[in-house]
């Protein structure tokens, strides 16, 4: 993978060293796994990523196995971009360890952090983030899953769906309605171990780009109050803080896919013979390659601007939404163009551009669909406009 962008002023020398080290590791350890069971391979990848030290960047707190006391967004983005370039499932495994334990890193008690984060960082426990429901995806505040207080415990009742790592996770961070106030102000977060009675894997969900995914059912699932993360009724804020950390990294994963697609397109264009020339000799191909490269650099600038701003302590609601929208939509276009260059071979199962075509599609939906990102950007623009004094 071309690492020229590491010279951009968004990065420090440690970021360049991290990306180059992972590039070397990925080339040596990641490869084809089409014939392997997805669940087993995902478990293996988590262990490998943990043993190599990469997962330490996905959790916060050096005392709990983290690489630093706060999550460095630029590091997360560089790691995801590099992993996605080499292996989509490795990127998934890394990202879910961070997202699944993010609420604990951000709002957990010292006991909660000590019990879960070191195992996540070491790849010894698989984490999952359980927020979406059958009738509550982008509109998180309308969730129906309840956590009813019962003495020193809570009883969880309801469903969650589209849960990545569902079925293989060792624990789930579950968001449920506790009723302190209407809407978003009455939601709390809980750590639920996978073997807790009343938690069932109701359905495994198969996708065009396979990875562990499930619908969960909670039937009077008893969870101790000590497993609640943060104050009661503060779960929505905690969920949004967690997503703010990792949403920019979705854009970075899309960049990894797009850079791989450009490399595959260039390789094919310069070797495919057509009408006595190579495909790359035609101006229409050159124009397409130029558009692909420009799309990637535009998305990369937005992505690493958002990561840099967040690491400097600034809010990045609009910037992260712009990055995710531009990177995921742009990657879809770049991958489609690369597949066209491969012609009929591009739709053969297992060919890299065919795999990329399947891998990118979900990124335009999860952690906020493109249309939701557009609403976020517009809302922020209008809020700023309304805050300006009248002329």
């Amino acid at each position: 993978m071309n690492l020229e962008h590491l010279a951009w002023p968004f990065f420090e020398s440690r970021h360049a060293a991290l990306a180059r080290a992972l590039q070397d590791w990925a080339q040596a350890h990641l490869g084809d796994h089409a014939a392997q069971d997805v669940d087993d391979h995902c478990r293996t990848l988590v262990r490998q990523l943990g043993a190599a030290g990469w997962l330490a960047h996905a959790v916060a707190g050096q005392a709990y196995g983290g690489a630093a006391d706060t999550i460095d967004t630029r590091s997360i983005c560089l790691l995801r971009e590099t992993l996605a370039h080499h292996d989509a499932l490795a990127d998934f495994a890394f990202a879910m360890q961070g997202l699944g334990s993010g609420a604990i890193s951000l709002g957990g008690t010292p006991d909660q952090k000590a019990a879960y984060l070191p195992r996540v960082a070491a790849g010894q426990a698989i984490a999952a983030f359980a927020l979406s429901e059958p009738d509550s995806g982008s509109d998180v505040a309308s969730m129906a899953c309840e956590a009813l207080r019962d003495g020193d415990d809570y009883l969880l009742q309801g469903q969650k769906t589209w849960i990545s790592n569902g079925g293989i996770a060792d624990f789930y961070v579950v968001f449920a309605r506790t009723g302190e106030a209407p809407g978003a102000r009455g939601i709390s977060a809980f750590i639920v171990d996978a073997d807790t009675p009343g938690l069932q894997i109701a359905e495994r969900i198969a996708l065009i780009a396979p990875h562990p995914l499930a619908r969960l059912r909670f039937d009077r699932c008893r969870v101790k109050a000590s497993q609640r993360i943060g104050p009661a009724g503060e779960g929505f804020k905690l969920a949004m803080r967690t997503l703010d950390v990792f949403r920019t990294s979705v854009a970075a994963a899309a960049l990894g896919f797009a850079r791989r697609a450009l490399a595959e397109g260039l390789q094919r264009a310069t070797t495919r013979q057509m009408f006595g020339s190579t495909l790359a000799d035609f101006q229409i191909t050159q124009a397409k390659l130029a558009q692909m490269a420009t799309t990637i650099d535009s998305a990369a600038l937005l992505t690493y601007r958002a990561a840099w701003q967040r690491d400097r302590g600034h809010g990045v609601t609009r910037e992260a939404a712009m990055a995710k929208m531009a990177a995921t939509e742009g990657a879809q276009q770049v991958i489609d163009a690369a597949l066209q260059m491969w012609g009929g071979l591009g739709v053969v199962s297992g060919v890299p551009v065919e795999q990329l075509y399947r891998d990118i599609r979900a990124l335009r939906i999860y952690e906020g669909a493109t249309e939701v990102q557009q609403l976020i950007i517009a809302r922020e623009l209008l809020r700023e406009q309304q805050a300006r004094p009248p002329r």
Side-chain angles (χ1 to χ4, degrees):
M1 187 176 86
N2 190 318
L3 300 177
E4 290 178 356
H5 60 295
L6 293 175
W8 290 354
F10 296 123
F11 303 113
E12 301 168 24
S13 59
R14 62 188 174 91
H15 294 116
L18 178 69
R20 291 192 177 99
L22 179 57
Q23 172 84 337
D24 292 341
W25 182 88
Q27 288 176 337
H29 292 86
L30 300 179
D32 179 48
H33 51 80
Q36 300 184 49
D37 177 81
V38 171
D39 287 0
D40 288 344
H41 194 65
C42 202
R43 293 186 184 98
T44 298
L45 285 167
V46 169
R47 289 193 295 269
Q48 288 179 320
L49 291 165
W54 306 119
L55 292 178
H57 296 275
V59 302
Q62 291 179 295
Y64 307 109
D69 287 333
T70 58
I71 292 176
D72 184 81
T73 315
R74 287 167 293 176
S75 294
I76 290 285
C77 288
L78 286 169
L79 289 164
R80 288 203 66 183
E81 180 183 349
T82 305
L83 288 170
H85 183 275
H86 290 276
D87 186 334
L89 195 60
D91 166 64
F92 163 82
F94 174 85
M96 284 312 305
Q97 288 296 92
L99 183 64
S101 64
I104 303 174
S105 285
L106 293 171
T109 65
D111 286 346
Q112 290 171 343
K113 292 178 180 180
Y116 292 94
L117 295 184
R119 293 189 293 138
V120 169
Q124 296 169 354
I126 295 177
F129 183 78
L131 182 65
S132 296
E133 298 184 4
D135 297 317
S136 171
S138 298
D139 183 12
V140 176
S142 68
M143 72 170 55
C145 184
E146 292 183 308
L148 305 175
R149 193 68 189 246
D150 185 33
D152 293 331
D153 302 334
Y154 283 89
L155 294 176
L156 271 65
Q157 190 76 26
Q159 295 187 72
K160 295 290 178 180
T161 195
W162 311 117
I163 308 306
S164 292
N165 278 344
I168 70 166
D170 294 291
F171 69 91
Y172 299 83
V173 171
V174 180
F175 297 84
R177 184 165 299 286
T178 44
E180 289 74 20
R185 293 175 295 166
I187 294 169
S188 301
F190 301 88
I191 307 169
V192 183
D193 292 320
D195 59 359
T196 305
L199 166 57
Q200 305 165 16
I201 305 302
E203 176 189 14
R204 293 299 299 271
I205 303 171
L207 299 181
I208 59 173
H211 69 261
L213 196 75
R215 176 168 59 87
L216 313 180
R217 180 184 296 116
F218 299 91
D219 184 9
R220 294 182 62 81
C221 178
R222 185 173 293 275
V223 179
K224 293 185 178 298
S226 60
Q227 293 290 90
R228 190 185 69 219
I229 308 172
E234 296 292 314
F236 179 83
K237 293 180 182 178
L238 189 57
M240 295 304 104
R241 287 176 62 203
T242 303
L243 291 173
D244 273 350
V245 173
F246 292 98
R247 180 169 287 136
T248 304
S249 78
V250 179
L255 281 176
F257 291 152
R259 291 193 199 277
R260 177 64 183 272
L262 177 57
E264 295 290 336
L266 282 165
Q267 189 274 331
R268 183 63 170 165
T270 54
T271 58
R272 183 182 179 185
Q273 297 297 311
M274 182 175 287
F275 304 120
S277 300
T278 65
L279 187 59
D281 291 325
F282 294 95
Q283 287 185 342
I284 192 169
T285 304
Q286 295 170 16
K288 185 58 71 174
L289 289 168
Q291 183 61 53
M292 293 161 73
T294 303
T295 296
I296 290 171
D297 271 13
S298 299
L301 286 164
L302 284 171
T303 298
Y304 288 110
R305 177 189 70 166
W308 172 71
Q309 284 193 216
R310 189 185 180 281
D311 286 341
R312 295 176 69 215
H314 299 299
V316 293
T317 299
R318 181 178 64 185
E319 291 81 1
M322 286 179 170
K324 183 181 186 295
M325 179 177 73
T328 56
E329 292 293 325
Q332 181 82 67
Q333 296 166 15
V334 170
I335 292 167
D336 185 73
L339 192 151
Q340 286 292 109
M341 292 176 191
W342 276 76
L345 285 177
V347 293
V348 173
S349 180
V351 171
V353 289
E354 182 270 339
Q355 292 178 326
L356 288 166
Y357 197 83
R358 289 186 284 109
D359 290 331
I360 188 57
R361 193 58 186 85
L363 270 69
R364 294 169 58 201
I365 297 174
Y366 75 66
E367 290 195 40
T370 294
E371 292 76 13
V372 173
Q373 305 311 318
Q374 291 171 330
L375 291 173
I376 291 171
I377 296 163
R379 182 190 65 197
E380 291 297 302
L381 290 171
L382 292 169
R383 183 180 60 79
E384 291 174 7
Q385 176 65 25
Q386 291 164 0
R388 291 191 181 102
R391 291 193 242 182

